[in-house]
Amino acid sequence: MGNLGIIFWRELMSYFATPLAYIFIVIFLITNGIFTFELGGFYLRGQADLLPFFSFHPWLYLFMVPAIAMTLWADERKTGTIELLLTLPVKLRDAVLGKFLAAWALTGLALALTFPIWITVNYLGDPDNGVIFAAYLGSWFMAGSYLAIGSCMSASTKNSVIAFILTVSICFLFVLMGSPILLNAFPDFVPQFLVDAISAMGFLTHFDSIAKGVLDIRDILFFAVFIGAWLLASAIVIEMKKAN
Amino acid sequence: MIEIENLVKKFDQFVAVDNLSFQVAEGEVLGFLGPNGAGKSTTMKVITGFLAPTSGRVSIDGHDITEDAIAAKSLIGYLPEGAPSYGDMTTEEFLRFIAQVRGYRGEEIDRRVQHVIKEVELESVRRQTIETLSKGFKRRVGLAQAIMHDPKVLILDEPTDGLDPNQKHHVRELIKNLARDKIVIISTHILEEVTAVCTRAIIIAEGRIVADGTPAQLESRSRYHQAVSVRLNDSYDLGADLGGIDGIATIEEDAEQALTYTILAKDGQSIFSQVSAIAQEKQWPVTEFHVQRGQLEDVFRTVTQKAKEA
């Protein structure tokens, strides 16, 4: 196990050392249930798919994921452990990635624990399980994108509450970018390629098709590149900000 | 061997470290002194590779701290200011984490962790989370992680800050024991610590070195060097008797204690034997009579104030 793995495990264990991880998972599951059954009309639709479940994820993540991401680096800076961590023989890359992956694993675990709903839909009908699996994967990658933004925001401040608010704001922007509400609001003189470019950066653009069962590798690639870019930005911000 | 050449660290316009150059060899325990904000901690952060220098270079045993960071960092054990550690972990978990990052595997981890726990006496708090520990124990956990890999270079930023006298003594003994064939750099503003553990002291002010030498050498720069302290039990005119001795600069009366005088020597000349001869001859009403080595505090104040005015 390299340093990446060691940091990953330390971070993951630290989520479970406090009630944080358990609370996160419980709230995630409850909210998911409410969204799917109450707001999404899971039963009323009479269709054996998980569309109502997945289509709320971009909005659910908007508040859940920043809560996980906010402490990633802000706490290290506040308590001074960043000085300890970065003077150990550890590459910054391993530290950034290890922390990110631990948080991503936690969201993955929370997502995996929604499995009863998958069993339910199989019990009630005959869904396309390939589509559902793809949607899970897409949802997890989208959660990763939120986290990567959160990692960068958390690196920019010592205050985790500020990190939370910044992350929510920026994530909201990226959700909006792909939403028809925003895209239809552009006046006519805005050139179409610009609208398309903005839409191409939006989370919903890529996630909606995944949720509907169209798994295009380009959508997953979008999220992967997005994560990579924000993690790189995190490393740059850490380098710049660690002095103060 | 640590080599620091023309080290400069600026934060925007503020120059925290201003063209610092010095070397530290094996076996030396270097006390790094200076008023708050003089650049002590910043220098240490650059030496340990936490902050990148604005210019100049730092090399640890030939490994450049920016070019060859991992190799250089592997040689260093570092206790950052305030001894930060992960509060939600237990002492043992935290030390195991450090051992792993330091490259130990399997049984070796247990052996190293056990060794440092014994070395800094953490057995009693082994399974306690670090956030519940007292300041002294936290500091010791920080020390334990710094010495985990038996490092060649030990850099300790205010290692005894906030400890009670017993703990201070313990930490100093620990440092002395560790110091053989190692390089130790300690930052402190407790001057007694320097005389207690250091073989060399550097005083910095405004980011520059203002004094560098053994504690004895620095003390000899004090105006109290070779001064004779006298305490009388009856008033007596010392000045009248001492007029004949050339080496005497002046006689100071202690402002707080009555009948206590300090006879200052000119340019560090030895005046003790002459003064004591006169004291015997004239039968001074003496209760205390001793020679001073010099006051580090006095030197510290003089050199750092001078730097400020310059």
Side-chain angles (χ1 to χ4, degrees):
Chain A
M1 191 163 55
N3 282 337
L4 173 64
I6 296 163
I7 290 171
F8 170 81
W9 277 111
R10 198 211 75 75
E11 289 290 320
L12 194 59
M13 287 305 125
S14 81
Y15 285 123
F16 290 95
T18 60
L20 183 77
Y22 302 99
I23 293 172
F24 173 78
I25 289 171
V26 168
I27 294 180
F28 182 80
L29 295 178
I30 292 173
T31 345
N32 244 320
I34 295 172
F35 277 173
T36 310
F37 293 102
E38 299 293 327
L39 298 171
F42 178 72
Y43 291 122
L44 291 174
R45 291 174 73 245
Q47 286 182 29
D49 64 18
L50 285 178
L51 190 59
F53 170 71
F54 285 115
S55 57
F56 284 109
H57 281 188
W59 306 101
L60 182 59
Y61 288 158
L62 195 52
F63 293 97
M64 295 297 292
V65 175
I68 289 293
M70 66 183 190
T71 58
L72 273 180
W73 289 99
D75 272 15
E76 294 266 353
R77 286 187 49 199
K78 192 173 159 193
T79 58
T81 47
I82 188 168
E83 200 173 336
L84 181 81
L85 184 63
L86 298 184
T87 51
L88 289 168
V90 169
K91 292 198 180 80
L92 181 59
R93 185 193 68 201
D94 289 345
V96 172
L97 217 53
K99 279 172 158 287
F100 166 78
L101 288 176
W104 202 22
L106 178 63
T107 56
L109 178 67
L111 196 58
L113 287 174
T114 60
F115 72 90
I117 201 160
W118 195 350
I119 294 173
T120 308
V121 79
N122 268 289
Y123 175 76
L124 294 171
D126 185 22
D128 185 340
N129 283 320
V131 166
I132 293 178
F133 179 75
Y136 263 110
L137 196 68
S139 177
W140 189 48
F141 268 81
M142 188 171 62
S145 305
Y146 284 74
L147 269 178
I149 293 175
S151 165
C152 186
M153 292 305 114
S154 180
S156 70
T157 172
K158 277 184 190 177
N159 185 324
S160 51
V161 176
I162 292 176
F164 177 82
I165 293 166
L166 284 174
T167 310
V168 171
S169 314
I170 292 178
C171 289
F172 185 57
L173 203 67
F174 278 102
V175 172
L176 270 191
M177 276 173 147
S179 133
I181 309 167
L182 180 81
L183 297 175
N184 295 337
F186 279 112
D188 289 339
F189 62 81
V190 178
Q192 188 59 36
F193 76 88
L194 198 65
V195 178
D196 288 345
I198 290 171
S199 158
M201 289 302 292
F203 287 165
L204 290 181
T205 318
H206 300 277
F207 184 66
D208 273 354
S209 47
I210 296 175
K212 288 194 184 100
V214 192
L215 184 67
D216 190 333
I217 193 70
R218 280 175 298 180
D219 289 326
I220 292 289
L221 204 64
F222 164 80
F223 286 125
V225 171
F226 192 91
I227 290 170
W230 280 96
L231 289 183
L232 187 66
S234 306
I236 293 168
V237 172
I238 291 163
E239 274 297 331
M240 276 165 41
K241 287 277 200 165
K242 65 186 179 184
N244 37 2
Chain B
M1 174 86 116
I2 297 182
E3 289 165 284
I4 291 151
E5 278 170 40
N6 306 105
L7 183 70
V8 177
K9 179 68 193 174
K10 288 183 193 166
F11 297 108
D12 295 325
Q13 292 303 308
F14 177 69
V15 183
V17 179
D18 188 4
N19 209 10
L20 216 59
S21 299
F22 62 91
Q23 300 185 338
V24 197
E26 277 78 20
E28 275 191 298
V29 181
L30 174 67
F32 213 51
L33 307 172
N36 287 328
K40 294 187 302 268
S41 286
T42 307
T43 307
M44 290 190 148
K45 284 174 187 176
V46 176
I47 296 175
T48 52
F50 181 62
L51 298 179
T54 309
S55 69
R57 55 182 283 276
V58 174
S59 90
I60 315 287
D61 249 0
H63 301 283
D64 189 281
I65 193 69
T66 37
E67 312 272 301
D68 195 4
I70 298 292
K73 285 175 181 175
S74 306
L75 295 171
I76 302 175
Y78 178 39
L79 174 72
E81 196 176 359
S85 51
Y86 294 107
D88 53 16
M89 299 176 103
T90 66
T91 304
E92 191 174 0
E93 282 167 355
F94 175 67
L95 292 176
R96 289 187 68 88
F97 165 68
I98 297 292
Q100 285 177 321
V101 175
R102 288 290 182 189
Y104 295 106
R105 296 290 178 268
E107 276 179 32
E108 194 64 21
I109 295 174
D110 302 306
R111 222 170 300 146
R112 287 312 305 176
V113 169
Q114 192 50 44
H115 175 74
V116 295
I117 281 180
K118 209 175 140 222
E119 192 91 344
V120 300
E121 295 176 18
L122 287 169
E123 193 57 56
S124 59
V125 296
R126 198 183 180 117
R127 287 179 221 299
Q128 267 190 51
T129 51
I130 294 171
E131 61 195 355
T132 64
L133 300 182
S134 68
K135 207 169 174 180
F137 269 122
K138 275 185 189 156
R139 190 69 40 138
R140 271 144 77 176
V141 171
L143 264 168
Q145 68 71 28
I147 61 172
M148 178 64 75
H149 54 304
D150 197 17
K152 216 168 160 199
V153 176
L154 197 56
I155 297 179
L156 310 170
D157 201 346
E158 300 190 357
T160 59
D161 185 40
L163 300 186
D164 69 39
N166 291 336
Q167 294 167 330
K168 271 183 192 163
H169 178 75
H170 183 85
V171 168
R172 284 173 194 161
E173 287 302 306
L174 197 69
I175 293 168
K176 272 193 214 161
N177 287 336
L178 290 167
R180 276 173 242 125
D181 66 295
K182 281 201 179 61
I183 297 169
V184 184
I185 302 182
I186 305 169
S187 92
T188 180
H189 38 229
I190 308 167
L191 296 168
E192 53 176 278
E193 201 150 288
V194 177
T195 14
V197 297
C198 298
T199 60
R200 177 181 164 197
I202 285 181
I203 302 179
I204 67 169
E206 314 283 301
R208 286 184 297 266
I209 294 180
V210 289
D212 181 357
T214 64
Q217 280 168 344
L218 292 188
E219 279 169 348
S220 72
R221 292 172 57 169
S222 161
R223 60 197 203 98
Y224 291 100
H225 182 55
Q226 300 288 13
V228 176
S229 297
V230 184
R231 191 170 193 175
L232 308 177
N233 56 16
D234 201 3
S235 60
Y236 188 88
D237 185 11
L238 297 176
D241 289 355
L242 293 170
I245 305 175
D246 271 345
I248 293 175
T250 175
I251 300 169
E252 277 181 6
E253 190 173 356
D254 197 305
E256 280 150 33
Q257 276 178 305
L259 300 176
T260 305
Y261 301 89
T262 308
I263 305 163
L264 273 68
K266 227 181 256 175
D267 309 319
Q269 293 180 44
S270 177
I271 54 167
F272 180 76
S273 52
Q274 287 166 286
V275 174
S276 92
I278 290 173
Q280 275 180 358
E281 187 193 317
K282 305 273 180 182
Q283 300 206 330
W284 290 358
V286 178
T287 57
E288 242 176 63
F289 193 85
H290 65 91
V291 66
Q292 292 194 11
R293 287 192 302 166
Q295 294 175 2
L296 215 45
E297 204 181 304
D298 174 54
V299 180
F300 180 87
R301 268 205 309 269
T302 318
V303 294
T304 54
Q305 228 108 52
K306 233 185 248 163
K308 213 164 202 171
E309 283 155 16

